[in-house]
Amino acid sequence: MTWIGDNLGLIWEQLREHLYLAIVPVILGLIISVPLGYVATRYSWLANPLIAFGGILYSLPSIALFIVIPAVLGTKVLSTVNIIVALTIYTVSLLIRNVIDGLRSVPPDVRQSAIAVGYGALHRVVAVDLPIAVPVIFTGLRVVTVANISMVSVGAVIGIGGLGELFTLGFQKDFLTPVVVGVVLSLTLALIADLILVSLQRILTPWARVATPVGEVA
Amino acid sequence: MIEFEDVTKRYPDGTVAVDKLSLRIPSNQITVFVGPSGCGKTTSLRMINRTIERTSGTISIDGDDINGRDAVTLRRGIGYVIQNAGLFPHKTVVDNVATVPKLIGWDKRKAHSTAMELLERVGLDVKLAERYPAQLSGGQQQRVGVARALAADPAIMLMDEPFSAVDPIVRHQLQEELLRLQRDIGKTIVFVTHDIDEAIKLGDNVAVLRVGGKLAQFAPPAELLANPADDFVRGFVGQDRGYRALTFVHPEALPVQPLPDELALQDGVPLGWRNGSEELLPVGSVFKRGDSLRAALDAVLTSPTGCGVCVDDDGKAVGVIDQSTVAEALRS
Ligand SMILES: Nc1ncnc2c1ncn2[C@@H]1O[C@H](COP(=O)(O)OP(=O)(O)O)[C@@H](O)[C@H]1O
Ligand SMILES: [Mg+2]
């Protein structure tokens, strides 16, 4: 326990780094997936290959990505950019499917009336299609956020891993406390992030929770 | 006036949905496109707001080719109502209705208050304004759909089978309300249905289309029933067209006979028929002078004595009419 007290500064630092390394890729991934998914619904032949490609990317071992990326991008091995790029790739590969499914979940008659009332193409996506896709997109967002939070730790192997660095520390010194602290904080972080996303979704989609009418009364 | 001139629509797969359609849709009236499923009604309708682009020919509104206008701007000036209303599920009822006013840049308050007025106008409780579409019944959603189409006061409203998915009682109410609304607003309405009864009830003019998107006949309902252009139209308007046609026959003066003693009256209003016992037999349905022949026939058929009672505007009996008189009128 004294270890915790003595290392509060370090723990806090790693926690902040962990959060940063996990969340930035989620945001970047979302920014990339939405237009990509939109393009895939416009040119529907693109959708299935994209989803399949995403599946392949997602199955790549993270450790391999962390090591290959510096070689490809020419970044320093110890740069946070590597982790962020790798996790952004994971985020996009997973989220693309939800964005496409979400945009496809817009009922055809709703899309038809959106066109007929006079929404321009871009305006329609922002004002009609995306809001309706929010529940499906958020399902993916929750999965990917939790996955990212756990995957950041793997980065510790190449020296940047947020709370994962506490694991390395513990293993090196054959000392359990930092490992436990790392696990507990990492789980807590995932739990809180998920709670925040659930609340955000509820705020964004009040219409998705309403009761259906009882019987037909004109 | 909306004018179709030699309009053809060929889909990319080669289907010719509409073939050289030419017709004039008069302003401020209800024109119904009717025909069997797949005959090109929806395609014809949607070419008017350019949600489907024609292959050849011209469509013009008040003389201007619609292809000369920006499609999005054109659509904002044309109301559109479809079968399941197609309301935006993520917007409240009032926001759904305010969609077009907001798109064309009205300020929020004006858009909102106009939307509230329209909800009342189409017979919806304003308490429903803040609900979401999923909380409404099919009939209520359809009313919101009509309100949304009318919100920016367009000159034209397109309606594609708007009442087909609701139960018959609600459908009947919605039809009556559309006619009542149209008396106030006098829009140019193009209404698509596969139901000939609906077409006859609502249309000032009816365009009967046959499969392949060919116009079989364009005429007011009475004309359609009285003089079907060919066997296809005759078959489509149905076997009982003769009886339905009576709705549109207004005999100038059916010769009524004086009131018989058997008819019991109170202050001139018919109470029932005497038949010797204490109780009176029901009068049956009555008709007014100037009513259609169908009303007179109904009166004769529902009267227990075979004599239909004719009343004036105050409901007072002025005479009776018997079967032979109606039969005579039917023959002429
Ligand atoms: N997008 C499309 N691609 C190919 N054929 C179509 C398309 N839409 C409609 N059709 C065909 O065009 C014909 C007319 O369709 P439609 O206008 O929907 O008829 P209706 O509304 O009278 O039922 C039908 O044969 C239909 O199958
Ligand atoms: Mg149709």
Side-chain angles (χ1 to χ4, degrees):
Chain A
M1 281 304 128
T2 51
W3 181 87
I4 297 178
D6 293 346
N7 292 278
L8 270 181
L10 171 77
I11 294 171
W12 178 238
E13 195 50 45
Q14 298 306 338
L15 185 67
R16 271 180 44 189
E17 186 185 62
H18 199 105
L19 196 60
Y20 176 79
L21 290 176
I23 298 306
V24 170
V26 172
I27 294 167
L28 289 178
L30 188 64
I31 292 172
I32 296 169
S33 305
V34 167
L36 205 58
Y38 170 67
V39 170
T41 48
R42 284 230 42 182
Y43 306 97
S44 48
W45 54 269
L46 258 175
N48 287 334
L50 258 179
I51 290 173
F53 186 62
I56 295 170
L57 277 185
Y58 195 71
S59 68
L60 291 178
S62 49
I63 193 94
L65 265 189
F66 291 156
I67 291 164
V68 168
I69 283 171
V72 175
L73 295 183
T75 43
K76 293 206 184 76
V77 175
L78 272 181
S79 163
T80 51
V81 174
N82 303 329
I83 309 288
I84 287 179
V85 171
L87 293 185
T88 302
I89 290 175
Y90 280 127
T91 305
V92 173
S93 66
L94 207 131
L95 216 47
I96 187 74
R97 154 168 242 139
N98 291 77
V99 172
I100 291 173
D101 286 350
L103 291 175
R104 282 179 177 163
S105 76
V106 178
D109 52 4
V110 172
R111 175 162 299 149
Q112 211 191 89
S113 34
I115 296 170
V117 297
Y119 276 109
L122 202 61
H123 194 178
R124 196 182 82 229
V125 178
V126 175
V128 180
D129 295 353
L130 278 177
I132 294 174
V134 160
V136 182
I137 294 178
F138 262 71
T139 308
L141 218 45
R142 287 174 61 188
V143 172
V144 87
T145 302
V146 170
N148 276 3
I149 287 173
S150 86
M151 232 171 334
V152 166
S153 300
V154 180
V157 177
I158 57 165
I160 316 139
L163 296 167
E165 287 171 49
L166 298 182
F167 303 164
T168 341
L169 192 79
F171 293 138
Q172 279 163 357
K173 296 189 171 167
D174 199 10
F175 174 47
L176 207 56
T177 312
V179 179
V180 173
V181 170
V183 169
V184 169
L185 284 182
S186 173
L187 281 177
T188 313
L189 211 54
L191 205 70
I192 292 173
D194 199 46
L195 277 175
I196 290 174
L197 282 176
V198 172
S199 322
L200 194 60
Q201 182 183 345
R202 286 177 72 93
I203 293 167
L204 286 177
T205 60
W207 51 275
R209 284 176 287 126
V210 296
T212 43
V214 203
E216 166 84 357
V217 188
Chain B
M1 186 178 66
I2 308 171
E3 186 164 10
F4 281 64
E5 265 181 84
D6 276 337
V7 175
T8 295
K9 174 63 189 184
R10 183 190 304 274
Y11 283 106
D13 66 0
T15 311
V16 177
V18 177
D19 192 15
K20 294 216 171 76
L21 182 64
S22 295
L23 56 87
R24 290 172 173 206
I25 297 167
S27 298
N28 313 112
Q29 295 189 357
I30 302 182
T31 298
V32 180
F33 290 175
V34 70
S37 178
C39 70
K41 305 179 294 290
T42 295
T43 306
S44 303
L45 188 78
R46 292 183 59 192
M47 284 190 288
I48 298 173
N49 67 358
R50 293 183 58 195
T51 50
I52 292 179
E53 295 284 3
R54 71 214 183 203
T55 313
S56 64
T58 33
I59 300 175
S60 53
I61 296 176
D62 298 330
D64 296 325
D65 187 335
I66 55 170
N67 272 25
R69 301 184 49 189
D70 171 57
V72 170
T73 320
L74 174 78
R75 289 171 196 152
R76 290 175 183 175
I78 300 180
Y80 186 63
V81 187
I82 54 177
Q83 187 164 1
N84 293 308
L87 299 180
F88 304 125
H90 61 298
K91 292 185 178 208
T92 59
V93 164
V94 62
D95 284 343
N96 262 279
V97 177
T99 303
V100 182
K102 283 183 187 158
L103 280 174
I104 59 179
W106 291 14
D107 74 54
K108 275 190 183 158
R109 213 176 290 154
K110 186 177 167 208
H112 187 88
S113 63
T114 306
M116 294 302 281
E117 279 166 31
L118 270 159
L119 286 177
E120 276 188 90
R121 192 126 202 214
V122 299
L124 272 174
D125 192 339
V126 291
K127 274 184 256 160
L128 299 178
E130 297 304 325
R131 300 259 181 101
Y132 289 98
Q135 293 170 293
L136 306 189
S137 70
Q140 289 168 333
Q141 291 188 23
Q142 224 37 59
R143 283 165 211 247
V144 179
V146 173
R148 181 177 65 182
L150 291 173
D153 200 21
I156 298 172
M157 179 156 70
L158 310 179
M159 308 182 81
D160 192 350
E161 310 249 6
F163 309 146
S164 296
V166 294
D167 73 57
I169 296 170
V170 175
R171 184 183 315 143
H172 178 80
Q173 286 175 8
L174 292 171
Q175 290 168 342
E176 293 295 335
E177 280 166 28
L178 178 66
L179 288 173
R180 180 177 53 76
L181 194 64
Q182 172 67 353
R183 278 195 289 277
D184 292 348
I185 59 181
K187 301 288 181 193
T188 305
I189 296 178
V190 189
F191 190 107
V192 160
T193 180
H194 62 270
D195 175 359
I196 184 70
D197 287 320
E198 187 167 59
I200 285 169
K201 181 170 181 183
L202 298 179
D204 296 304
N205 289 289
V206 178
V208 184
L209 300 180
R210 67 173 101 237
V211 175
K214 284 191 191 301
L215 183 64
Q217 187 167 5
F218 185 82
E223 167 73 11
L224 200 68
L225 292 167
N227 299 309
D230 59 17
D231 286 344
F232 170 76
V233 179
R234 195 170 297 121
F236 196 73
V237 297
Q239 297 304 322
D240 53 346
R241 71 184 175 86
Y243 175 64
R244 271 204 296 259
L246 296 179
T247 309
F248 302 102
V249 180
H250 295 272
E252 279 310 311
L254 271 179
V256 296
Q257 287 139 26
L259 296 172
D261 292 340
E262 289 79 23
L263 187 64
L265 301 170
Q266 184 172 39
D267 298 334
V269 176
L271 279 183
W273 295 95
R274 300 192 185 90
N275 72 337
S277 68
E278 281 288 293
E279 306 234 335
L280 295 172
L281 295 173
V283 180
S285 70
V286 297
F287 70 104
K288 276 189 228 154
R289 251 187 232 272
D291 266 355
S292 70
L293 199 48
R294 180 169 171 174
L297 179 62
D298 283 340
V300 168
L301 292 177
T302 54
S303 160
T305 61
C307 274
V309 180
C310 180
V311 297
D312 62 14
D313 284 337
D314 299 325
K316 296 190 174 156
V318 294
V320 296
I321 182 172
D322 61 14
Q323 279 164 349
S324 58
T325 318
V326 177
E328 189 83 13
L330 282 175
R331 269 192 295 277
S332 60

